[in-house]
């Protein structure tokens, strides 16, 4: 693997998560796995840290995209890290692998409105679609948790039975 000059910059290291995005033909999956591993190692990430990494990642991804001369370069995976953190936020650590799996589905398929966020320019577009995907997965996980573990299914069946 050859490191390009822009990858060796501070913004390149942040955008590619220390060049991790260059080590796979599936950089988004590798970035998401790295984010999940960090989530598990730190016992979760506080929301203020997620917001800070998202803001710094947006700026770094924007600079990296311009320096690389390519729109939304695949090796820029800081967005996947932030997206999987948002997917997992507010849940016990046991939900991290499910969040990772669902996040990858949403990130690959880009359902509405995720695809629309991807159209935003520069670093904002690079980060926004994964942030939106993370929010969607987080809401979906809350619904699944409610349905299966918090009596939601019983409530629905009671309402149907009446």
């Amino acid at each position: 693997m050859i490191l390009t000059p822009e990858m060796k910059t501070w913004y390149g290291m942040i955008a590619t998560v220390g060049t991790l995005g260059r080590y796979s033909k599936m950089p988004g999956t590798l970035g998401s796995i790295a984010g999940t591993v960090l989530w598990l190692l730190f016992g979760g990430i506080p929301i203020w840290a997620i917001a800070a990494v998202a803001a710094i990642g947006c700026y770094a991804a924007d600079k990296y995209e311009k320096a690389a001369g390519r729109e939304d370069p695949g090796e820029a995976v800081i967005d996947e890290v932030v997206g999987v953190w948002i997917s997992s936020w507010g849940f016990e650590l046991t939900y991290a692998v499910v969040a990772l799996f669902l996040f990858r589905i949403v990130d690959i398929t880009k359902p509405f409105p995720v695809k629309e966020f991807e159209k935003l320019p520069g670093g904002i577009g690079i980060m926004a679609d994964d942030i939106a995907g993370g929010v969607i997965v987080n809401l979906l996980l809350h619904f699944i948790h409610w349905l299966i573990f918090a009596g939601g299914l019983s409530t629905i069946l009671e309402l149907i039975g009446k």
Side-chain angles (χ1 to χ4, degrees):
M1 181 195 74
I2 298 170
L3 295 181
T4 59
E6 64 273 4
M7 200 171 289
K8 296 176 185 176
T9 63
W10 70 266
Y11 54 85
M13 291 301 230
I14 291 171
T16 65
V17 186
T19 72
L20 185 67
R22 297 288 287 194
Y23 288 98
S24 173
K25 291 183 192 277
M26 300 181 301
T29 299
L30 190 57
S32 298
I33 290 169
T36 301
V37 168
L38 289 170
W39 183 268
L40 293 170
L41 285 174
F42 288 111
I45 308 289
I47 195 69
W48 63 265
I50 296 171
V53 171
I56 293 165
C58 184
Y59 183 71
D62 187 66
K63 287 186 69 72
Y64 183 78
E65 178 183 65
K66 288 175 181 153
R70 292 177 283 126
E71 194 172 301
D72 197 359
E75 68 273 13
V77 294
I78 190 65
D79 51 335
E80 274 82 14
V81 171
V82 170
V84 83
W85 287 353
I86 292 169
S87 297
S88 299
W89 189 79
F91 291 99
E92 296 174 11
L93 294 179
T94 55
Y95 281 76
V97 174
V98 175
L100 167 65
F101 178 73
L102 292 174
F103 177 73
R104 287 310 299 146
I105 291 171
V106 168
D107 191 33
I108 291 166
T109 61
K110 301 220 185 289
F112 181 83
V114 174
K115 185 87 172 151
E116 299 307 308
F117 285 101
E118 187 179 47
K119 296 175 184 174
L120 294 170
I124 293 172
I126 291 170
M127 295 296 292
D129 66 315
D130 291 294
I131 290 170
V135 169
I136 288 169
V137 169
N138 190 281
L139 293 173
L140 181 59
L141 277 175
H142 276 288
F143 174 73
I144 292 168
H145 176 80
W146 171 79
L147 189 67
I148 297 172
F149 300 112
L153 187 58
S154 298
T155 303
I156 291 170
L157 291 174
E158 276 182 37
L159 291 172
I160 292 173
K162 289 184 179 184

